[in-house]
């Protein structure tokens, strides 16, 4: 593929085999016109020139950066990094470029390591006209070129081997014999497509094309999908035997170590990685694969990035976390079958113990508990030097033996063209970071599987010297491969290689390895402190999670019409609900949280709210949790927020309604608590917290702010509680504190305070009344509040467009809330005689297009005398928006189809099929080419309408048998539980993973591909030798492991009799949803041989076009008389020296 450009109008062309993809940004618009043209239209005569002379390996999509649209292309790749099978290749990206569609200022420019343009060699600096600022996409280029991204142009890299199936035709042909057709991008697993955000609109554009145009897009590899993780193949011998590991990290909750932890509201966890080990073993006519997953503990927890002993905080209550936990494991069970949790957290470290205990509590109340098993293994304790070191990791195998026996692994018999068994369960392993400990345990589990495979493949069951030597050599390579995998995943999450990798490679830990781990730990601390913040922003930008990210819109008149109609008829799929929000602020003056002596119900449930329903949301801000002195701040009691959360939780739930704590955000001196009515928790999503210190220039936490953001339906809220600088004359300092918070307080994904529909700011703002003490008190006694408010510093600031400009406040009809003698309602009688003031305030700000927040009441409670302040509250009514996405999609489709029905127009086509025989067989009718008519492209108004054309005549398309084989789907119900006869306990239920390319309505834009045709007889020279019949893998016998539904490869030699050479596997059947799961039994009655029709030609006499067509899905007739392996002439590579037994 080449990259070309045209100056006027500026057009970028991806020039591929038969067609070109033309991209052009519209003037005065950020929309992009996309066209598909035949290559004979993209010529030098038409103004196209080479923009990059290097080969282009693929297009990653379009992205908005700095008010420009860029197309991302792969310009450097290391090819054939991995080959899971002999016809599948994986390539690694090492160079990416971003080309502007609107400007040529970055064309033909070289860049230094910081992305700053440098002069071309031999040119004087002053005479060179090039931009002096860094390239806007430099950080994105740096991220995508760091060696952690992979792609494939011939198979679906996001899939598992047992799901995408194995093509015997391709196995026998080998790589490069025939050009492979890549699966449609629409069927890839979106959670592993790291360029999903860049590709979204192009995929939608492709889905609107007719099938022939879609085929041209696929055949020319215009849309390239990338994964992030690791891929590598290690060859074992000259017979093409190899070991491969492919790890894919999910982008759903992607991020760096201390920025992204735990789970989010959609059930996605940090550092979720799917790792597949593939043993390609053609010398023994077999293929094996074993899959495991890892992911952060699925609860809401965070860890600060302090250098020493980072503190772990559980940010959501158990009750509020449970539904999200259930959602996470529902997705795992649906994707992989039953799940066995392997928790490696410490049982002695307090921080890890808290997270581990929460994990156990969530597991106990899980909805799918019968499909989940849980095992704790204190890795650090079990691998202490006194316990044998890291070799003690193998102690976990007996704990997991039963599940590993039931899950099995995927096995394919090449000679018989049959899937012997599928893996029907998954191990989900975690430690704190899901890196070092996790990688070693996953390696141990995988090595155990490989041991069983190798022993069952050897004649002596691994007891002879030769077999032991061969096995040891393979295990060494296997361990090296896992060490590389651990380093790669660790680099992504922490910026350093994995710890314990020295042991992973060699099986022993020496001084050099220990010193290397110390160096990596120090490097991780540096990365966490100085580098990860910028990396997180870049990742969010790439994934479309940054607050201001938006899709690049592709020019499409039909979509514009549909969007306009959806906007006009939004009431059809949009509903508005009223919710009540209670906001409270209270300066506690270091009050100790004692639930027996503290009664806050008169503040939380004031009389004026008792006639209406209980609030849906409570946002409570507490200031001065501790004494504001140096000693208290430096040695702050981190348990204070937890204790106050308990007090508030008890008192809020003392009424008729139940409330759940969704988020606590704290710094040393203050906390913000978000409680939501239990019946409304499912409507609250995207909860995130942030804080900002302003004391001593941002160093100390005696002053500052805590904030929580969330979305209720589709309406966003930001809650901020703050404690600003004290003192009557410190107005400027308070303005500086406010400005620091407004500009410096950001949430995850780059959200700022002003990015929300509604902002509620409350706390001890410390604004005073600018009057002498005696005068002020006399006005208070006389109730002259208007005169007092005229001299209130906060009102003056808002009027003068200073601090809190744009915020609004309700009418103040309560007494000043500061300062009182503690335990009374008498204003300060100490020597300082502080001037009474309204220091405790509640303000609100609403977006211009969301004027639907109404203040119901604003008051203080004078009867509570626990502090020198009085608590203040405000109640709001807000209309929140709910969008029925399914109804909206149906309506959009109806509008789209209606538009096409009402406007049946034809036009000149952008896509000329005459240039390629892969799409159409018709001949060119003129020098310019005759375009075919595409209804979709016509309706998009991307074509100039000149005259009507008749549809093109396309030659009949012959069915292609690509040899792809898939296993039948599992039965709908898998919830029966068997009993382990040895223990008497219920064993882990078995559930097959989902059918390959299952109907995923959320991720697929088109229908999934049809089932593959029935298998046909293969002939000709084999790309791999055909060995003699060998012993079957362990556990693959006719006796099921679990009565009537076992199909796993299991580590149980006693149940693995030797296969008789006279028996062959039954023929594969066409996939049908009614079929039972495949089991490894081989009844004599099903024994059959190859089909041989009397009237069929011999395959050696058939041309490519004359080969037998795919058979109908009816069962094939009984086969007789054919041998298992065709007699083929032997090549020189087939001969082997005789070895004495």
């Amino acid at each position: 593929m080449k990259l070309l450009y045209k100056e006027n109008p500026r057009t970028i062309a991806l020039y591929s085999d038969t067609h070109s993809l033309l991209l052009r940004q519209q003037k005065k618009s950020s929309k992009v016109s996309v066209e598909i043209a035949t290559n004979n239209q993209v010529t030098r005569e038409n103004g196209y020139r080479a923009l990059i002379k290097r080969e282009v390996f693929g297009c990653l999509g379009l992205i908005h950066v700095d008010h420009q649209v860029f197309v991302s292309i792969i310009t450097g790749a290391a090819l054939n990094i991995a080959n899971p099978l002999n016809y599948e290749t994986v390539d690694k990206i090492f160079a990416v470029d971003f080309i502007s569609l609107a400007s040529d200022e970055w064309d033909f420019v070289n860049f230094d390591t910081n992305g700053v343009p440098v002069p071309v060699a031999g040119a004087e600096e002053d005479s060179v006209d090039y931009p002096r600022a860094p390239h806007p996409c430099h950080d994105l280029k740096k991220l995508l070129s760091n060696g952690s991204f992979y792609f494939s142009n011939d198979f679906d890299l996001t899939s598992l081997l047992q799901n995408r199936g194995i093509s015997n035709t391709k196995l026998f042909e080998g790589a490069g014999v025939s050009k492979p057709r890549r699966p449609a991008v629409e069927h890839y697993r979106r959670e592993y497509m790291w360029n999903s955000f860049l590709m979204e609109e192009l995929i939608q554009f492709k889905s609107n094309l007719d099938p022939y145009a879609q085929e041209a897009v696929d055949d020319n590899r215009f849309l390239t999908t990338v994964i992030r993780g690791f891929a590598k193949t290690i060859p074992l011998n000259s017979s093409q035997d190899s070991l491969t590991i492919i790890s894919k990290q999910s982008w759903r909750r992607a991020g760096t170590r201390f920025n992204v932890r735990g789970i989010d509201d959609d059930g996605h966890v940090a550092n979720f990685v799917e790792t597949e080990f593939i043993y390609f073993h053609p010398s023994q006519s077999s293929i094996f694969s074993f899959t495991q997953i890892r992911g952060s503990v699925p609860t809401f927890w965070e860890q600060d990035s302090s250098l020493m002993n980072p503190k772990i905080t559980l940010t959501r209550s158990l009750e509020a976390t449970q539904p999200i936990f259930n959602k996470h494991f529902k997705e795992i069970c649906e994707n992989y079958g039953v799940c066995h949790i392997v928790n490696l957290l410490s049982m002695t470290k307090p921080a890890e113990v808290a997270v581990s205990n929460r994990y156990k509590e969530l597991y106990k109340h899980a909805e799918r508990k019968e499909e989940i098993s849980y095992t704790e293994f204190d890795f650090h304790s079990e691998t202490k030097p006194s316990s044998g070191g890291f070799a003690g990791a193998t102690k976990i195998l007996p704990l997991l033996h039963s599940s590993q026996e039931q899950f099995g692994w995927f096995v394919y018999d090449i000679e018989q063209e049959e899937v012997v068994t599928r893996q029907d369960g998954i191990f989900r392993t975690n430690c704190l970071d899901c890196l070092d400990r996790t990688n070693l345990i996953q390696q141990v589990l995988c090595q155990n599987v490989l041991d069983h495979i190798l022993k069952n493949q050897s004649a002596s069951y691994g007891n002879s010297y030769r077999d032991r030597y061969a096995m040891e050599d393979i295990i060494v390579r296997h361990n090296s491969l896992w060490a590389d995998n651990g380093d790669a995943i660790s680099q992504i999450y922490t910026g350093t290689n994995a710890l314990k990798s020295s042991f992973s490679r060699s099986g022993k830990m020496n001084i050099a390895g220990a010193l290397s781990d110390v160096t990596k730990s120090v490097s991780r601390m540096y990365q966490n402190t100085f580098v990860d913040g910028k990396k997180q922003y870049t990742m969010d930008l790439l994934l479309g999670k940054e607050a201001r990210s938006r899709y690049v819109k592709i020019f499409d008149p039909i979509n514009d019409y549909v969007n306009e109609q959806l906007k006009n008829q939004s009431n059809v799929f949009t509903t508005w609900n009223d919710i009540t929000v209670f906001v409270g602020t209270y300066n506690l003056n270091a009050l100790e949280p004692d639930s027996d002596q503290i009664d806050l119900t008169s503040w939380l449930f004031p009389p004026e709210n008792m006639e209406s329903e209980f609030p849906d949301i409570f946002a409570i801000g507490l200031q001065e949790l501790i004494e504001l002195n140096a000693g208290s701040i430096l040695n702050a009691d981190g348990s204070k927020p937890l204790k106050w959360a308990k007090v508030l939780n008890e008192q809020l739930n003392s009424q008729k309604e139940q409330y759940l704590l969704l988020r606590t955000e704290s710094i040393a001196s203050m906390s913000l608590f978000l409680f939501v009515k239990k019946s409304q928790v499912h409507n609250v999503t995207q909860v995130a917290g942030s804080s900002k210190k302003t004391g001593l220039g941002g160093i100390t936490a005696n002053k500052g702010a805590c904030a929580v953001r969330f979305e209720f339906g589709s309406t966003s809220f930001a809650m901020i509680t703050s404690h600003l600088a004290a003192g009557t004359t410190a107005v400027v300092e308070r303005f500086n504190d406010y400005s620091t918070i407004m500009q410096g307080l950001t949430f995850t994904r780059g959200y700022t305070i002003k990015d929300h529909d509604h902002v509620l700011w409350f706390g001890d703002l410390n604004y005073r009344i600018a009057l002498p003490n005696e005068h002020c008190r006399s006005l208070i006694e006389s109730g002259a509040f208007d005169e007092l408010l005229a001299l209130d510093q906060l009102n003056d600031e808002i009027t003068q467009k200073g601090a809190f400009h744009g915020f609004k406040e309700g009418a103040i009809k309560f007494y000043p809330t500061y300062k009182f003698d503690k335990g009374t309602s008498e204003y300060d009688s100490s020597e300082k005689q502080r001037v009474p003031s309204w220091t405790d305030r509640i303000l609100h700000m609403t977006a211009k297009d969301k004027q639907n927040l109404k203040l119901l009441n604003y008051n203080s409670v004078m009867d509570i005398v626990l502090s020198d302040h009085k608590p203040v509250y405000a109640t709001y009514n807000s209309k929140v928006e709910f969008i029925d996405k399914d109804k909206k999609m149906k309506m959009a489709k109806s509008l789209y189809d209606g538009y096409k029905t009402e406007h049946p127009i034809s036009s000149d086509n952008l896509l000329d099929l005459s240039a390629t025989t892969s799409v159409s067989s018709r001949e060119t009718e003129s020098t310019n080419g005759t375009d075919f008519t595409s209804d979709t492209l016509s309706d998009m108004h991307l074509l100039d309408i000149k005259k009507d054309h008749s549809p093109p005549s396309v030659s009949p398309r012959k069915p292609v048998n690509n040899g792809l084989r898939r296993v039948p789907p599992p039965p709908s119900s898998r919830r029966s539980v068997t009993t382990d006869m040895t223990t008497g306990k219920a064993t882990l239920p078995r559930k097959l993973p989902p059918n390959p390319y299952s109907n995923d309505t959320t991720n697929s834009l088109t229908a999934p591909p049809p089932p593959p045709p029935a298998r046909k007889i293969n002939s000709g020279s084999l790309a791999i030798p055909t060995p003699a019949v060998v012993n079957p893998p362990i556990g693959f016998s006719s006796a099921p492991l679990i009565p009537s539904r076992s199909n796993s490869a299991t580590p149980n030699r006693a149940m693995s009799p030797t296969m008789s050479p006279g028996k062959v596997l039954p023929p594969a059947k066409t996939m049908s949803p009614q079929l039972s799961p495949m089991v490894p039994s081989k009844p004599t009655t099903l024994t059959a041989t190859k089909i041989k029709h009397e009237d069929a030609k011999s395959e050696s006499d058939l041309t490519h076009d004359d080969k037998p067509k795919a058979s109908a899905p009816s069962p094939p007739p009984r086969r007789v008389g054919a041998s298992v392996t065709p007699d083929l002439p032997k090549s020189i590579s087939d001969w082997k020296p005789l070895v004495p037994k």
Side-chain angles (χ1 to χ4, degrees):
M1 192 183 299
K2 300 177 182 178
L3 188 73
L4 310 178
Y5 79 102
K6 183 178 180 180
E7 290 187 355
N8 190 21
R10 179 170 174 81
T11 306
I12 301 299
L14 287 167
Y15 186 96
S16 190
D17 298 336
T18 60
H19 292 80
S20 295
L21 187 71
L22 308 182
L23 305 169
R24 185 184 306 117
Q25 186 171 346
Q26 295 183 340
K27 293 182 178 179
K28 300 180 180 180
S29 171
S30 61
K31 290 186 177 181
V32 174
S33 296
V34 180
E35 302 176 9
I36 306 171
T38 53
N39 286 346
N40 60 7
Q41 298 172 347
V42 184
T43 61
R44 177 175 287 273
E45 290 74 17
N46 290 334
Y48 288 93
R49 302 288 185 272
L51 181 57
I52 294 178
K53 295 185 179 179
R54 302 188 300 277
E55 181 182 358
V56 174
F57 296 92
C59 171
L60 300 182
L62 303 168
I63 189 170
H64 271 291
V65 181
D66 282 359
H67 309 292
Q68 294 187 62
V69 176
F70 292 85
V71 57
S72 176
I73 57 171
I74 305 171
T75 54
L79 305 181
N80 290 336
I81 288 293
N83 301 93
L85 305 179
N86 64 342
Y87 61 86
E88 295 180 340
T89 61
V90 181
D91 308 323
K92 178 162 71 174
I93 298 172
F94 65 77
V96 171
D97 277 330
F98 285 80
I99 309 300
S100 173
L101 299 185
S103 171
D104 62 357
E105 62 177 327
W106 307 105
D107 296 352
F108 307 107
V109 176
N110 296 324
F111 300 93
D112 64 14
T113 56
N114 295 317
V116 178
V118 294
V120 179
E124 295 184 7
E125 186 173 346
D126 294 339
S127 64
V128 178
D129 182 19
Y130 61 88
R132 307 285 173 163
H135 192 288
C137 300
H138 171 68
D139 290 332
L140 288 169
K141 292 170 64 175
K142 188 176 178 180
L143 174 65
L144 288 166
S145 305
N146 67 4
S148 64
F149 291 88
Y150 298 81
F151 69 98
S152 176
N153 278 322
D154 51 31
F155 78 101
D156 176 6
L157 189 52
T158 67
S159 67
L160 294 173
L161 179 62
Q162 72 174 17
N163 287 351
R164 65 177 175 266
I166 296 173
S167 168
N168 254 60
T169 301
K170 294 179 181 178
L171 278 176
F172 280 69
E173 289 178 351
V177 175
S178 61
K179 181 179 177 182
R181 167 158 294 176
R182 191 177 54 175
V185 177
E186 293 88 338
H187 303 298
Y188 283 35
R189 296 165 69 191
R190 288 295 180 90
E191 63 266 33
Y192 300 118
M193 288 175 54
W194 269 71
N195 59 329
S196 178
F197 174 71
L198 280 66
M199 194 80 74
E200 183 70 30
E201 291 295 317
L202 287 173
I203 293 175
Q204 183 64 43
F205 165 79
K206 178 198 162 189
S207 69
N208 290 337
L209 302 176
D210 69 23
Y212 304 116
Q214 292 184 23
E215 191 173 301
V217 172
D218 289 335
D219 289 346
N220 287 275
R221 307 183 310 280
F222 289 134
L223 306 182
T224 303
T225 295
V226 297
I227 66 165
R228 192 179 195 193
F230 174 76
K232 186 177 180 180
T233 294
I234 295 181
L236 299 178
N237 50 40
S238 59
S239 301
Q240 299 189 32
D241 291 359
S242 64
L243 302 178
T244 301
I245 284 182
I246 298 178
S247 288
K248 305 179 284 285
Q249 187 187 56
S250 170
W251 58 265
R252 300 286 192 187
R253 187 160 170 75
T256 52
R257 187 183 180 197
F258 286 106
N259 288 301
V260 177
R261 294 288 208 188
I263 199 169
D264 64 14
D265 290 289
D266 297 317
H268 305 130
V269 296
N271 200 23
F272 185 85
V273 181
E274 176 189 271
T275 301
E276 182 178 25
F277 169 77
I278 299 171
Y279 180 21
F280 182 50
H281 198 22
S283 63
Q284 292 286 351
S285 190
S286 300
I287 301 172
F288 307 89
S289 77
F290 179 63
T291 305
Q292 303 176 73
I293 57 176
R294 69 177 80 184
S296 187
V297 177
T299 186
F300 291 91
W301 63 281
E302 294 176 355
Q303 190 173 20
D304 62 38
S305 56
S306 59
L307 296 180
M308 302 301 294
N309 296 323
K311 184 181 67 173
I312 291 178
T313 305
L314 295 171
T315 59
R316 191 174 297 191
S317 65
L318 175 68
E319 296 82 1
T321 305
Q322 192 69 57
I324 312 301
F325 180 91
N326 294 336
K327 185 186 297 185
H328 173 71
F329 279 97
K330 177 184 177 184
E331 185 174 348
I332 287 179
C333 292
E334 288 176 350
N335 288 337
Y336 302 102
V338 291
C339 176
H340 192 131
I341 299 168
V342 182
N343 181 14
L344 306 178
L345 292 177
S346 171
M347 298 181 186
T348 56
K349 295 182 178 180
E352 294 192 12
V353 167
V355 178
S356 190
N357 288 340
R358 175 61 61 85
Y359 202 172
K360 283 188 290 187
E361 288 295 321
L362 291 166
Y363 165 71
K364 288 178 182 177
H365 300 91
E367 282 183 353
R368 292 182 174 238
K369 190 176 178 181
E370 71 275 12
E371 298 179 36
I372 307 171
S373 185
Y374 180 91
T375 296
E376 280 188 334
F377 184 78
D378 188 341
F379 182 91
H380 289 315
S381 175
E382 299 291 346
T383 58
K384 292 185 296 186
S386 60
S387 302
F390 291 136
T394 56
K395 296 175 186 176
I396 199 172
L397 292 176
L399 303 176
L400 307 180
H401 175 79
S402 177
S403 291
Q404 193 159 33
E405 192 176 62
Q406 295 174 43
F407 294 169
W409 48 86
F410 173 73
V411 182
Y412 182 83
D413 189 321
I414 298 175
E415 181 183 349
Q416 301 299 328
E417 303 184 25
E418 289 289 347
V419 173
V420 180
T421 186
R422 291 178 56 146
Q423 181 177 340
D424 59 359
I426 198 80
F427 287 104
R428 184 198 189 280
T429 311
N430 72 271
C431 50
L432 199 64
D433 300 323
C434 301
L435 296 175
D436 316 312
R437 291 174 274 180
T438 297
N439 197 72
L440 188 53
I441 292 299
Q442 287 193 335
Q443 176 182 338
V444 168
L445 288 171
C446 188
Q447 182 176 328
N448 189 46
V449 170
L450 184 58
D451 280 339
H452 284 288
I453 292 172
L454 295 176
K455 288 178 180 178
N456 280 276
Q457 291 283 327
S458 68
S460 67
Y461 195 62
N463 292 322
S464 70
Y465 173 79
R466 177 175 296 177
D467 288 341
R468 285 200 305 271
Y469 180 82
M471 288 174 59
E472 288 174 1
D473 179 63
I474 293 176
I475 293 298
V476 167
R477 301 187 190 207
H478 164 271
N479 292 345
S480 176
L481 194 59
W482 270 99
D484 291 340
N485 176 71
D487 287 344
I489 303 303
S490 181
Q491 280 282 355
I492 293 172
Y493 199 48
T494 69
T496 72
N497 285 350
L499 308 182
K500 308 174 182 63
S501 58
S502 174
F503 178 83
S504 296
R505 292 182 193 281
S506 62
K508 59 182 78 170
M509 194 68 172
N510 50 30
I511 296 178
L515 291 175
S516 174
D517 285 355
V518 172
T519 303
K520 293 171 187 173
S521 297
V522 174
S523 178
R524 285 183 179 182
M525 284 192 283
Y526 172 82
Q527 292 276 339
N528 300 336
T529 308
F530 301 107
V531 179
D532 283 354
K534 189 174 184 180
K535 285 171 62 177
Q536 184 68 52
Y537 172 81
T538 305
M539 267 188 269
D540 291 341
L541 187 64
L542 173 69
L543 300 173
K545 294 185 176 182
E546 206 274 329
R548 283 154 289 282
S549 296
R550 55 195 176 98
Y551 289 112
V552 175
K553 292 298 182 182
I554 292 178
F555 174 69
D556 184 351
I558 297 183
N559 278 345
D560 290 346
Y561 164 78
V562 170
N563 289 334
E564 183 65 26
Q565 292 300 313
L566 290 175
K567 184 177 180 181
N568 295 336
Q569 304 177 44
S570 60
N571 61 309
V572 175
F573 53 83
T574 302
T575 57
W576 295 85
N577 291 350
D578 288 322
I579 66 168
T580 306
V581 180
F582 178 94
V583 177
T585 177
Y586 193 11
N587 185 313
L588 297 171
N589 192 27
L591 177 67
E592 285 296 324
D594 187 346
S595 57
D596 294 333
Q597 300 179 8
I598 297 174
D599 183 8
L600 300 176
T601 53
S602 59
W603 171 46
L604 300 173
F605 301 99
E608 35 196 336
N609 286 349
M610 296 309 292
E611 295 182 0
S612 57
E613 292 186 2
F614 288 101
D616 298 283
I617 293 174
F618 276 89
I620 309 296
L622 303 179
Q623 304 85 40
E624 287 195 39
L625 299 178
I626 58 175
E627 294 283 352
L628 297 186
N629 54 55
S632 298
I633 293 172
L634 293 176
N635 301 291
D637 183 0
S639 65
K640 280 287 186 73
L642 296 177
K643 293 177 180 177
W644 278 109
K646 181 180 179 181
V647 171
L648 292 172
N649 186 69
E650 289 178 356
Q651 302 203 13
L652 285 174
N653 288 293
S654 64
Q655 309 297 314
K656 297 179 181 179
E657 277 290 350
Q658 293 297 303
Y659 291 89
L660 301 181
L661 176 62
L662 282 199
R663 177 74 192 204
T664 301
E665 185 66 27
S666 302
I667 57 177
S669 63
M670 73 188 77
S671 291
L672 174 59
F673 305 91
L674 178 69
F675 288 89
V676 178
K677 190 183 290 185
K678 189 174 183 179
S679 60
Q680 296 281 19
V681 165
H682 65 283
N683 291 322
V684 180
T685 59
Q686 308 301 321
V687 182
S690 183
S691 58
K692 188 70 177 177
K693 301 174 185 176
T694 59
L696 294 181
I699 299 175
T700 62
N702 60 316
K703 297 292 187 289
C706 296
V708 172
R709 76 167 303 273
F710 62 91
E711 294 179 8
F712 201 113
S714 299
T715 305
S716 59
F717 291 82
M719 306 288 186
I720 304 121
T721 188
S722 66
H723 194 184
L724 305 185
T728 304
T729 60
V731 178
V732 174
E733 288 80 358
R734 285 189 279 274
F735 174 80
N736 292 336
D737 286 353
Y738 163 80
S739 300
T740 299
I741 295 167
M742 282 295 291
Q743 297 171 13
L745 193 150
T746 58
F747 301 95
T748 55
R749 314 309 183 195
Y751 284 100
T752 65
I753 292 174
K754 290 188 176 180
D755 290 329
H756 298 82
D757 297 327
H758 305 300
V759 179
L760 300 175
W761 193 315
F762 45 98
D764 184 356
L765 307 186
N766 255 324
Y767 284 99
R768 312 300 174 90
I769 297 174
L771 279 174
N773 184 35
E774 293 182 0
H775 188 193
C776 179
R777 295 193 183 207
S778 65
L779 291 176
I780 292 174
E781 291 177 1
S782 61
F785 286 0
D786 292 340
E787 296 181 35
L788 293 170
L789 288 170
L791 297 170
D792 177 71
Q793 291 176 344
L794 178 56
N795 287 339
D796 186 60
E797 280 284 285
I798 295 175
T799 303
Q800 299 298 324
K801 297 185 178 180
F804 295 98
H805 174 65
F807 281 84
K808 297 179 181 179
E809 184 180 21
I812 295 180
K813 298 180 181 180
F814 51 88
Y815 285 92
T817 57
Y818 172 83
K819 175 183 182 180
F820 295 88
D821 292 333
K822 197 167 183 179
T824 72
S825 293
E826 301 293 331
Y827 286 108
D828 186 19
S829 60
S830 67
E831 294 181 359
K832 293 186 178 180
Q833 290 282 307
R834 292 178 177 85
V835 179
S837 300
W838 285 289
T839 57
D840 308 279
R841 312 287 276 269
I842 299 175
L843 310 172
H844 62 272
M845 180 170 63
T846 301
K848 292 182 179 179
D849 57 338
K850 301 285 184 180
Q851 299 295 329
N852 48 20
L853 185 70
K854 180 182 178 182
L855 179 65
L856 300 180
N857 53 55
Y858 183 28
N859 210 337
S860 174
V861 181
M862 301 299 291
D863 297 335
I864 296 179
V865 293
L866 301 171
S867 170
D868 57 355
H869 288 250
K870 297 298 181 184
V872 176
Y873 65 89
T875 310
Y876 293 89
N877 176 269
S878 174
K879 287 188 177 296
V880 291
E881 182 181 25
F882 290 90
I883 296 176
D884 188 329
K885 295 182 179 180
D886 292 337
K887 187 177 291 187
K888 183 177 180 180
M889 289 180 63
K890 290 179 181 179
M891 185 176 179
K893 186 179 186 303
S894 175
L895 289 168
Y896 183 89
D897 294 340
Y899 185 95
K900 292 187 66 175
T901 303
E902 295 175 5
H903 302 80
I905 57 176
S906 301
S907 60
D908 288 339
N909 204 336
L910 295 168
L911 181 57
D912 184 359
L913 291 184
S914 65
T916 173
T917 58
S918 65
V919 180
S920 172
S921 61
R922 66 188 179 90
E923 297 294 328
T924 305
E925 296 180 1
S926 64
T927 57
N928 295 329
T930 303
D931 300 329
F932 79 94
T933 300
S934 167
D935 291 338
T936 304
L937 288 175
S938 303
D939 294 342
M940 290 168 66
H941 289 185
L942 291 174
L943 318 175
D944 295 328
I945 302 174
K946 298 182 182 299
K947 59 182 180 179
D948 291 338
H949 295 286
S950 59
S953 59
V954 181
S955 60
R957 302 169 62 83
K958 299 180 180 180
V960 178
N961 182 5
N962 59 12
L964 188 64
R965 306 180 49 74
R966 300 190 184 115
V967 179
S972 58
S973 175
R974 310 276 314 175
R975 293 197 173 229
S976 58
V977 180
T978 60
T979 302
D980 190 335
M981 296 302 180
T982 60
T983 63
K985 296 181 180 179
T987 59
L988 192 65
R990 300 167 53 80
K991 182 177 179 180
L992 281 174
N995 184 40
Y997 296 99
S998 60
N999 292 319
D1000 187 352
T1001 57
T1002 59
N1003 291 340
S1004 298
L1005 297 173
T1006 60
R1015 185 174 75 229
K1016 63 181 182 182
I1017 303 170
N1018 292 313
S1019 64
S1021 298
L1022 305 184
I1024 51 180
T1026 304
V1029 177
V1030 296
N1031 293 338
I1034 183 169
F1036 300 162
S1037 69
S1038 58
L1041 295 172
I1042 291 181
S1044 76
R1045 59 189 182 93
S1046 172
N1047 67 338
S1048 290
T1050 69
N1052 186 354
R1053 181 162 177 83
M1055 302 176 70
S1056 179
T1058 304
M1059 180 188 297
S1060 172
K1063 295 182 180 181
V1064 296
L1065 289 173
K1069 298 181 180 180
T1070 306
M1071 185 171 69
S1072 171
Q1074 285 76 28
L1075 292 178
S1076 303
M1078 185 169 292
V1079 296
S1081 59
K1082 309 178 185 65
T1084 306
T1085 55
L1086 294 180
T1087 301
T1089 53
K1090 303 287 183 181
I1091 304 172
K1092 188 172 181 180
H1093 299 285
E1094 295 180 357
D1095 57 343
K1097 300 178 184 179
S1098 65
E1099 286 198 1
S1100 59
D1101 298 331
L1102 294 177
T1103 63
H1104 177 73
D1105 292 334
D1106 292 331
K1107 288 187 177 181
K1109 306 296 188 298
S1111 61
S1114 58
R1118 184 183 294 269
R1119 300 175 296 175
V1120 294
S1123 61
V1124 174
T1125 306
D1127 292 326
L1128 299 171
K1130 291 188 176 182
S1131 64
I1132 221 55
S1133 62
D1134 293 324
W1135 293 99
K1136 298 181 180 178
L1138 291 175
V1139 180
K1141 297 184 180 178

